[in-house]
Amino acid sequence: MRTLINNVTVVTGKHREVHQGGWVLIEDDVIASVGGTGETAPAAEERVDGAGGTLTPGLFNMHDHIARKKLRISDLSTTYRAQSDILMRQPVEFLTLHAAANVLAQLRSGVTHIRDFGLPGTTGIQTSRAVREGVVPGSSVISGGDPICITGGHAGHWGAEEADGPVEVVRAVRRQLAKGAAVMKFMGSGGLGTYPEEDPGIPELTTEELRAGIAEAHKFNKRTATHAYSTEAILNAVRAGSDTIEHGAFCTPQVITAMLEHGTSLVPTLSSVIAIGFQHRLVGNEHMYQRIMDDIVAPHMESVRLAWEAGVPVAAGTDTSGEVVEELELIGEATGADVLDLLPAATSTAADMAGVGERYGSIEPGKHADLLLADGNLLTEGLEVLRRPVTVWRHGVAHAGLRLPYGVRLSMLREGLGSR
């Protein structure tokens, strides 16, 4: 089956390459050819008129928890932490159905790949399998199972696997791999979801524990990610060999130099971090909102700027409360980058970071046909165009686009939520 998508601006997601008046030919589930103005479009059994819209690669969400993601904070009367605690007490059967609904919603929004970090992990792993085997429609899921933390450490009460000492950490990695984990995540510091009771600045897993777990995952050709907020925790993870740092709120020039030396990438999840602050503002806790904005968000934005300007690969991830387009917008706000430089953070750069760049992440012949057709011109209208999905293809199969609702921050800023 040959499908021709024409009358579009093709933004390939790589090297600022754009085809004006463009077209893309799909053969079964693979991109066969790409062209633009002055090039004759080939014949095809099916023709899709893009109506002057923008065609990009399918987007990557490099940090999520599909079994506990609310897509948006929906309860306006309480905090993020309280809502998460309630959700994680639900039966695993409910959480599995929740995950299935979430991966379909994200697919229809334009996200064709999700890197999932569990909580609880078997739901993510089994949802990944269900999508892969065609049981449910949704984004492709690279699931890490349950992350590994110290006893009483970050997210232990939400399902992370507790382990102390290098030997126990190695055993925990093996258990997660045996369950089918495709990537391994480690909790290198405290977190923000339970702030201020839990201090995100405190390192948790030691360098020795991280090094043992990361080496074991790498032995089985699995990539690794480490949740780390504080400078010390980030350095511990970088020196231990983690492939990515998740969050990385307190980077310094020393940290950035170490990341460059070790080839470490950054997934900042700004959209989720800032959402936690805005949820406090929504429920009237202005003090906590300001504290998070001043103590966490401000240095976090500066960390992203430092990483971006130094050439550390940066990719879009949403965590539980964020959204990919908002993540790109916030990275742009932190760095001043334009849309063509930002898009790879959710396409080619992210695909390479996930280890699937040979098959996904850009529009070029030979790659799988994971594509997003959006209404409008990305080059002139900006990232907001990506919130207007018309059609999303995953492996050449078309799905009707459907935008996600705004998160709590944009709902408050753009729609006046909380002012009534």
Side-chain angles (χ1 to χ4, degrees), residues 24-350:
V24 170
L25 179 67
I26 303 170
E27 290 189 4
D28 297 322
D29 67 342
V30 174
I31 298 168
S33 56
V34 183
T37 301
E39 299 176 86
T40 303
E45 293 85 356
E46 180 184 27
R47 298 177 69 90
V48 176
D49 182 357
T54 300
L55 191 71
T56 73
L59 305 179
F60 275 66
N61 180 351
M62 286 292 287
H63 184 130
D64 210 340
H65 301 275
I66 59 172
R68 64 190 292 266
K69 186 176 181 67
K70 303 168 184 64
L71 296 180
R72 298 283 69 83
I73 293 291
S74 55
D75 186 338
L76 307 184
S77 63
T78 188
T79 64
Y80 164 89
R81 177 183 180 177
Q83 294 179 62
S84 292
D85 285 343
I86 291 169
L87 183 66
M88 294 309 296
R89 289 196 295 268
Q90 303 310 307
V92 69
E93 294 86 356
F94 173 79
L95 292 174
T96 303
L97 294 170
H98 193 83
N102 282 329
V103 295
L104 177 56
Q106 290 205 55
L107 176 65
R108 294 185 66 187
S109 78
V111 175
T112 54
H113 269 83
I114 301 170
R115 194 170 64 156
D116 164 70
F117 292 125
L119 303 178
T122 54
T123 55
I125 290 169
Q126 294 306 317
T127 302
S128 174
R129 177 188 173 194
V131 171
R132 187 170 61 251
E133 297 183 6
V135 176
V136 297
S139 311
S140 298
V141 179
I142 303 168
S143 184
D146 288 325
I148 295 167
C149 71
I150 63 171
T151 297
H154 179 60
H157 67 301
W158 284 340
E161 180 166 359
E162 297 176 326
D164 300 301
V167 173
E168 280 194 27
V169 170
V170 167
R171 288 173 177 160
V173 168
R174 291 173 179 173
R175 282 191 291 270
Q176 292 302 318
L177 294 178
K179 293 176 182 179
V183 59
M184 286 304 310
K185 184 187 178 190
F186 303 89
M187 296 303 199
S189 76
L192 187 59
T194 52
Y195 181 74
E197 292 87 350
E198 178 186 9
D199 186 348
I202 296 176
E204 294 192 344
L205 285 166
T206 66
T207 304
E208 292 73 21
E209 289 168 326
L210 287 166
R211 185 175 288 120
I214 289 165
E216 189 67 12
H218 285 168
K219 182 174 78 176
F220 290 95
N221 299 313
K222 305 300 182 186
R223 300 207 173 196
T224 57
T226 303
H227 161 113
Y229 274 84
S230 70
T231 302
E232 183 179 352
I234 299 167
L235 281 172
N236 288 346
V238 170
R239 291 165 176 165
S242 185
D243 295 301
T244 64
I245 297 298
E246 310 298 306
H247 316 305
F250 295 95
C251 290
T252 64
Q254 179 194 14
V255 167
I256 299 302
T257 298
M259 293 178 76
L260 291 170
E261 289 175 351
H262 288 81
T264 315
S265 302
L266 176 65
V267 183
T269 70
L270 289 166
S271 58
S272 189
V273 172
I274 204 167
I276 294 171
F278 270 84
Q279 185 67 22
H280 278 291
R281 167 170 265 191
L282 182 62
V283 299
N285 193 348
E286 188 70 19
H287 170 73
M288 277 305 303
Y289 160 77
Q290 201 60 55
R291 186 171 173 180
I292 288 171
M293 295 298 292
D294 293 343
D295 295 352
I296 308 292
V297 174
H300 201 170
M301 296 285 277
E302 176 64 9
S303 293
V304 173
R305 184 190 68 80
L306 288 172
W308 187 276
E309 292 182 355
V312 171
V314 176
T318 69
D319 211 341
T320 303
S321 303
E323 176 248 340
V324 169
V325 181
E326 185 177 9
E327 185 70 18
L328 292 175
E329 290 170 340
L330 288 167
I331 293 172
E333 184 177 327
T335 64
D338 66 18
V339 291
L340 287 179
D341 282 337
L342 288 168
L343 186 63
T347 56
S348 56
T349 297

Side-chain angles (χ1 to χ4, degrees), residues 14 60 62 223 347-358 360 367:
K14 199 167 187 177
F60 275 66
M62 286 292 287
R223 300 207 173 196
T347 56
S348 56
T349 297
D352 289 341
M353 206 180 290
V356 298
E358 291 185 359
Y360 303 95
K367 293 202 173 181

Side-chain angles (χ1 to χ4, degrees), residues 403-417:
R403 64 159 289 173
L404 296 176
Y406 286 135
V408 61
R409 168 179 166 268
L410 291 181
S411 293
M412 293 182 75
L413 294 178
R414 297 190 182 188
E415 299 178 346
L417 180 64

